[in-house]
Amino acid sequence: MGTVSQFHESLRPPAHRIESEEEAISTARDLAAAFRRQASERDINRILPFAELDALSVSGLTAIAVPPDHEGLDVSNALLAEIVAIIAEGDASIGEALENHFCALETLRTQAAEDLKASLFARVLLGDRFSAATFTDGAELTAEGPGYRLSGRTRQAPGILFADWIAAAATVPPSRPVTLYLARDDEGVQVVDDWDGFGQRTNGSATAIVGTLHVNADAIAPAPSSGYSIGISLGLLLKAGVSLGIARAAWSDLMAAIGDRSATILPRIGERAIRIEATAAALERAGRKLDIAQVNPMEAAMADAHFSASAAAILAGETALDTANALFELAGEISAGIGLNLDRHWRNARIHALSLPRDKLVHTAGEYMSKLGGA
């Protein structure tokens, strides 16, 4: 195997092994309830949720995306999105870190060689966390012995501060895209806490800087060639999960804020409730299509899954913003009080939406439907 299995030794206790989807949902709800209690305080004072992320790992929830071939739970993609939504409802920043972790695991599942998958999925089962990132254009990757010499920095990515491993996209000369699996605590890897967004303030976004690091060939995997890759579609679905969680959190605070005045604005409340329910249905539909594409990764199935995941991500982002706006429209002065910190839902929704390439997704959706119409 080489050096991959020696990259990291975790100090956390071994993670619990979740045995069913029902247990996963129950665990997520319990954790989300605990996370929600101090979520506002963490946002106000930018207290990074290291303890909460460790609780997430020890619970076994970070390992539910490990495939059954590597002793994991065979979780549907719809459930994975719902788990992210539940956690994000408790704390949107923790939900985003979990989103990025699951995306990195999907990249590992679809790209890596069997030895690398076996080594790293074993670490995930023990509670290790991942963050997906991308090296900037100035990064250098040159051949060196049985591997490559790496230098450069990644773009900011959620969850790096909490990660044990970084799955970093890069390019091997002349133009071969790959993913490098780097140990977060390697001496050659420096992680800089440089995130200053006004929303998602505690999501662990940071920049990884590598001065000079040798990366063994067995810690590198090729990137997929399809523009409709399952990993990209899953990323969109999980991004939708975070937005849905933000919408639900805003909705909960909205209902608490308006209290017994709700009877006077029932139609407007009903509109928001229906939109949240429709968004949840869109996530479930996209999840089912992704399940089909994973089992039968033909171009048509992958394109269909990408279309539905794009629709879910766009709809969920709009629903999160709309529900957060409703806090101010319907709850009035109550929601404007700075002490309640209810504006964090709008800030979280707005910042999270920035990472969604909406125009590109809409354009691709138009192309896809045009092809279907002309078929």
Side-chain angles (χ1 to χ4, degrees):
M1 179 56 214
T3 61
V4 172
S5 61
Q6 301 170 14
F7 276 173
H8 180 82
E9 290 298 329
S10 175
L11 300 178
R12 287 184 300 271
H16 170 71
R17 189 70 63 88
I18 291 177
E19 300 292 345
S20 67
E21 292 193 345
E22 292 77 15
E23 183 185 0
I25 286 285
S26 175
T27 300
R29 287 173 176 160
D30 290 344
L31 285 169
F35 295 163
R36 188 179 183 104
R37 294 187 191 106
Q38 301 298 322
S40 177
E41 180 183 348
R42 286 192 295 272
D43 173 82
I44 291 171
N45 298 305
R46 197 170 182 268
I47 301 170
L48 295 172
F50 285 102
E52 288 75 13
L53 264 296
D54 280 346
L56 199 66
S57 288
V58 172
S59 75
L61 210 60
T62 54
I64 62 171
V66 174
D69 290 349
H70 295 276
E71 302 182 20
L73 186 64
D74 189 14
V75 173
S76 70
N77 288 299
L79 177 78
L80 207 60
E82 178 62 18
I83 293 292
V84 169
I86 291 170
I87 295 299
E89 183 177 358
D91 187 315
S93 287
I94 298 175
E96 189 171 24
L98 185 61
E99 167 203 333
N100 203 16
H101 166 79
F102 285 148
C103 286
L105 297 192
E106 180 63 14
T107 298
L108 177 65
R109 184 190 73 83
T110 56
Q111 297 179 15
E114 287 302 318
D115 283 352
L116 182 58
K117 285 194 282 191
S119 176
L120 294 182
F121 279 136
R123 299 303 314 178
V124 177
L125 290 173
L126 291 174
D128 282 11
R129 295 187 296 269
F130 281 62
S131 177
T134 302
F135 274 98
T136 60
D137 294 338
E140 295 183 1
L141 194 61
T142 55
E144 181 181 74
Y148 294 86
R149 183 177 71 254
L150 170 68
S151 63
R153 63 172 59 209
T154 69
R155 297 184 178 91
Q156 288 178 330
I160 287 186
L161 287 176
F162 313 129
D164 302 288
W165 302 87
I166 301 170
T171 302
V172 172
S175 58
R176 180 166 62 95
V178 296
T179 299
L180 312 171
Y181 291 89
L182 311 176
R184 160 74 168 78
D185 61 359
D186 194 294
E187 290 183 0
V189 178
Q190 178 186 9
V191 175
V192 179
D193 180 7
D194 54 359
W195 176 244
D196 62 353
F198 65 78
Q200 297 294 86
R201 299 189 68 222
T202 61
N203 66 0
S205 280
T207 298
I209 300 174
V210 176
T212 300
L213 176 69
H214 177 80
V215 182
N216 271 24
D218 61 5
I220 300 175
S225 57
S226 172
Y228 295 121
S229 77
I230 291 172
I232 292 174
S233 297
L234 180 64
L236 291 170
L237 177 62
L238 298 183
K239 186 171 290 295
V242 172
S243 293
L244 177 58
I246 294 171
R248 287 172 173 169
W251 170 260
S252 177
D253 282 342
L254 168 62
M255 296 307 292
I258 61 178
D260 57 9
R261 294 192 301 114
S262 62
T264 64
I265 49 175
L266 285 178
R268 299 171 74 184
I269 290 175
E271 288 176 1
R272 269 70 185 198
I274 289 171
R275 189 161 189 172
I276 290 173
E277 183 67 12
T279 300
L283 267 69
E284 185 174 352
R285 176 178 172 82
R288 290 198 303 269
K289 289 188 177 183
L290 265 172
D291 290 343
I292 294 171
Q294 284 179 333
V295 174
N296 182 31
M298 303 297 290
E299 188 72 16
M302 293 171 69
D304 192 33
H306 185 272
F307 169 72
S308 285
S310 298
I314 291 171
L315 177 59
E318 292 173 350
T319 300
L321 281 170
D322 178 72
T323 311
N325 285 334
L327 264 171
F328 299 96
E329 295 171 8
L330 303 183
E333 293 180 1
I334 297 173
S335 63
I338 194 169
L340 295 177
N341 195 30
L342 298 183
D343 64 296
R344 74 183 187 278
H345 300 307
W346 184 90
R347 291 187 284 106
N348 290 340
R350 192 68 190 88
I351 284 291
H352 190 245
L354 289 178
S355 61
L356 184 70
R358 190 184 189 283
D359 291 345
K360 179 180 178 181
L361 294 178
V362 170
H363 180 81
T364 302
E367 288 183 334
Y368 173 68
M369 294 307 295
S370 296
K371 288 178 182 178
L372 286 184

